[in-house]
Amino acid sequence: EDKVVQSPLSLVVHEGDTVTLNCSYEVTNFRSLLWYKQEKKAPTFLFMLTSSGIEKKSGRLSSILDKKELFSILNITATQTGDSAVYLCAVEAEKNDMRFGAGTRLTVKP
Amino acid sequence: SAVISQKPSRDICQRGTSLTIQCQVDSQVTMMFWYRQQPGQSLTLIATANQGSEATYESGFVIDKFPISRPNLTFSTLTVSNMSPEDSSIYLCSVDTGPGQPQHFGDGTRLSIL
């Protein structure tokens, strides 16, 4: 059965800290891995990863995929209170549907 | 990316009633998806809605409970039928904007059943 496992489930840090969020997966016919940020209701897209070893960056956020070991990490440097959210990892298979992990709830304290 | 409008934004309903959620996209898309997010949980795919064909439902979800319409390439509706408190969730639509592109989500509908 396909599964996506995120860790940790929750994390509390202070502003300026660096955090690493983990996502491991077992999916048949893998196409891509995606990271989303969910603050209220709507998940907003962060990264889409399809190839191993290629780091994607957007400001203080970066992500990389390892298709051999079946995991991805999301790094956030110099965290700010606005980074507080649930970060969702999702894996897309050939049917175009996505399977989501449980999410990591990040709280950044001033 | 596509602009996706979902309504209502939230609703409080009585058990036994039904509610239809609308999802409107500002461009034509082939595939639209409906997800449910129960309190404290992650997103679970309910069904995939393709224009011109019946929706494809995931295990655990049936058409009688969650009928879906997809009358054209920019619009879809999800109805939550005969609601019970267990249906209290956030319901989200998303669209696939093309090969190699990520799915983008509407703002979601927060549904509470009393």
Side-chain angles (χ1 to χ4, degrees):
Chain A
E1 181 181 326
D2 294 349
K3 60 181 179 181
V4 180
V5 179
Q6 292 187 246
S7 64
L9 293 182
S10 68
L11 190 57
V12 180
V13 301
H14 288 91
E15 275 191 314
D17 289 350
T18 293
V19 299
T20 298
L21 310 182
N22 304 292
C23 177
S24 63
Y25 63 91
E26 292 179 27
V27 173
T28 305
N29 298 322
F30 172 91
R31 275 180 47 172
S32 61
L33 185 144
L34 299 95
W35 287 96
Y36 288 87
K37 178 182 182 182
Q38 186 178 31
E39 293 178 88
K40 292 182 179 178
K41 291 186 293 182
T44 54
F45 170 72
L46 295 175
F47 297 111
M48 184 176 191
L49 304 156
T50 56
S51 302
S52 284
I54 300 174
E55 185 183 47
K56 294 215 172 180
K57 285 180 69 71
S58 177
R60 296 176 294 103
L61 278 66
S62 64
S63 183
I64 197 163
L65 174 67
D66 187 328
K67 291 170 71 174
K68 182 180 178 184
E69 300 296 331
L70 307 183
F71 79 92
S72 174
I73 60 172
L74 174 68
N75 280 320
I76 308 175
T77 59
T79 51
Q80 303 170 356
T81 54
D83 295 326
S84 295
V86 174
Y87 289 84
L88 297 167
C89 171
V91 178
E92 186 178 36
E94 279 189 358
K95 288 193 304 178
N96 292 97
D97 58 314
M98 290 194 296
R99 181 170 296 273
F100 281 82
T104 294
R105 180 174 297 277
L106 174 65
T107 303
V108 181
K109 293 188 171 182
Chain B
S1 62
V3 176
I4 306 161
S5 303
Q6 192 174 331
K7 59 181 179 181
S9 175
R10 58 169 55 218
D11 209 338
I12 301 172
C13 301
Q14 298 293 323
R15 67 175 68 204
T17 62
S18 299
L19 179 75
T20 296
I21 302 167
Q22 299 179 2
C23 184
Q24 178 78 51
V25 192
D26 69 343
S27 58
Q28 293 184 341
V29 294
T30 303
M31 300 180 77
M32 297 179 75
F33 305 88
W34 287 98
Y35 290 85
R36 180 177 74 180
Q37 187 174 29
Q38 294 177 302
Q41 305 293 314
S42 191
L43 279 70
T44 300
L45 181 65
I46 298 172
T48 302
N50 295 324
Q51 194 268 336
S53 62
E54 285 202 6
T56 303
Y57 288 82
E58 296 298 304
S59 175
F61 298 96
V62 296
I63 188 171
D64 289 347
K65 176 67 176 178
F66 298 102
I68 288 171
S69 77
R70 183 78 199 275
N72 57 52
L73 290 174
T74 63
F75 187 76
S76 178
T77 68
L78 168 76
T79 299
V80 186
S81 303
N82 188 25
M83 290 184 284
S84 67
E86 293 71 36
D87 294 319
S88 297
S89 296
I90 295 172
Y91 292 86
L92 293 149
C93 72
S94 74
V95 303
D96 187 337
T97 54
Q101 298 299 313
Q103 286 186 27
H104 291 278
F105 287 84
D107 286 339
T109 297
R110 187 183 298 276
L111 185 56
S112 300
I113 292 89
L114 302 178

